[in-house]
Amino acid sequence: NPKKITNNLRRCHHRKTSTNPRVHRYTPSKIITKKDGWQKDMELAAFIEHCTAFIKSLEIERNLSSHTRRAYASDLEQLQEFWARIKNKEKEKTHEFSEILRRYCVALFYKKLSKPSLARKLSTLRSFNKYLNSQGFNLTLNVKSPRIDKKLPSVLSEEEMRLVLDNVPDEQLSRLPLRDKAIMELLYATGVRSSELASITLGAINFMEHTILIKGKGKKERIVLFNESSEKKVRAYLQQ
């Protein structure tokens, strides 16, 4: 019941967590600001500046990918637009950031977003909240993310892969069959992400030991193995 959700948000600062089983599990359980000498609020203009600095810190301090940074920036831009709309509609009122954040979380519930989308937006808010705490804002934000249904990926069997790699004529496969067969062999043999495979350099491949140095998310490195069949396909592509 949306009314019960809103009432629960107003009462939540009197207890650590919500124990009401009727409260929708995807809604925030507690959003409070503490008045103990720290900054407790900000204006919209200051919020936008903090958003810009936060996105920059994701690149410099956490080494997150450009795709992840764009997703975070998009989520925060939606919060900025929500705040601006509230200010235009309620010009006589002063809107604290904690109030805007609480109303925005409720609005996300009303949008009936998919579970992955809602979980990502809430994750963005939690990360931004941690950044604000590091900047002197003593703001506590506890939100419950939806439980994401885990689905097993659909994969090709070994026989199907062999059919594609060994039996399909090159002219029927693609315009660059040697390259594409090398790509499919390595993806199937190593299990690396497609983005990781695209960033592999010749210097990262050790043909003697059948290993490849992979640079993954957050610039973390790991070693993966590949087989002789993959080696043949890669060498055929390099020698063309």
Side-chain angles (χ1 to χ4, degrees):
N1 188 318
K3 185 176 182 180
K4 292 180 181 179
I5 295 169
T6 304
N7 291 336
N8 181 66
L9 287 171
R10 292 172 179 169
R11 296 194 304 267
C12 63
H13 66 280
H14 296 298
R15 59 182 184 272
K16 291 185 177 180
T17 56
S18 173
T19 57
N20 187 350
R22 292 174 295 177
V23 175
H24 197 284
R25 68 176 184 274
Y26 299 159
T27 58
S29 59
K30 181 175 61 175
I31 302 173
I32 60 176
T33 51
K34 300 178 181 178
K35 304 177 182 179
D36 55 0
W38 292 51
Q39 299 181 66
K40 67 188 179 88
D41 252 302
M42 72 182 88
E43 296 295 329
L44 177 56
F47 169 72
I48 294 175
E49 292 180 1
H50 281 297
C51 288
T52 302
F54 169 64
I55 298 301
K56 190 66 177 178
S57 72
L58 296 179
E59 177 184 8
I60 298 175
E61 298 177 12
R62 296 178 57 184
N63 292 323
L64 297 186
S65 68
S66 59
H67 176 76
T68 301
R69 296 197 305 272
R70 283 195 300 270
Y72 275 53
S74 175
D75 291 337
L76 291 176
E77 285 173 3
Q78 292 176 29
L79 176 53
Q80 294 172 21
E81 294 170 357
F82 178 83
W83 194 344
R85 288 196 299 270
I86 294 296
K87 288 190 64 175
N88 290 333
K89 290 181 179 179
E90 304 171 7
K91 297 181 180 180
E92 296 79 11
K93 292 183 60 177
T94 299
H95 301 93
E96 295 184 347
F97 175 64
S98 55
E99 176 194 355
I100 294 297
L101 192 57
R102 179 168 55 245
R103 292 173 65 173
Y104 179 68
C105 289
V106 174
L108 289 179
F109 165 74
Y110 276 108
K111 285 185 176 182
K112 297 182 179 180
L113 300 171
S114 66
K115 290 181 180 180
S117 296
L118 180 57
R120 193 202 70 199
K121 291 181 184 300
L122 295 180
S123 176
T124 298
L125 294 178
R126 281 193 292 266
S127 296
F128 183 60
N129 176 69
K130 290 181 181 179
Y131 172 80
L132 289 179
N133 288 341
S134 71
Q135 300 301 307
F137 286 84
N138 199 349
L139 176 69
T140 301
L141 169 64
N142 292 335
V143 292
K144 290 184 178 181
S145 294
R147 185 184 298 275
I148 306 298
D149 298 329
K150 295 183 178 180
K151 298 181 180 179
L152 293 176
S154 299
V155 298
L156 295 176
S157 66
E158 184 175 354
E159 292 76 14
E160 290 171 327
M161 282 298 299
R162 290 299 159 213
L163 175 64
V164 173
L165 296 173
D166 298 331
N167 297 328
V168 176
D170 289 350
E171 60 273 10
Q172 295 183 15
L173 186 61
S174 68
R175 293 184 298 175
L176 299 171
L178 294 180
R179 183 204 64 179
D180 293 344
K181 285 186 176 181
I183 289 174
M184 287 188 286
E185 276 278 6
L186 286 177
L187 286 174
Y188 191 70
T190 63
V192 299
R193 301 180 180 90
S194 57
S195 58
E196 294 173 341
L197 186 139
S199 64
I200 293 175
T201 62
L202 281 176
I205 303 176
N206 187 326
F207 287 102
M208 294 292 294
E209 298 182 3
H210 285 174
T211 62
I212 304 176
L213 177 63
I214 299 296
K215 294 184 179 180
K217 292 184 175 180
K219 297 184 179 179
K220 295 179 181 179
E221 297 183 346
R222 69 183 190 278
I223 300 293
V224 298
L225 302 173
F226 63 95
N227 53 27
E228 293 183 359
S229 177
S230 300
E231 179 187 0
K232 291 179 181 178
K233 293 294 191 301
V234 172
R235 288 189 181 277
Y237 167 62
L238 295 175
Q239 293 171 3
Q240 68 174 353

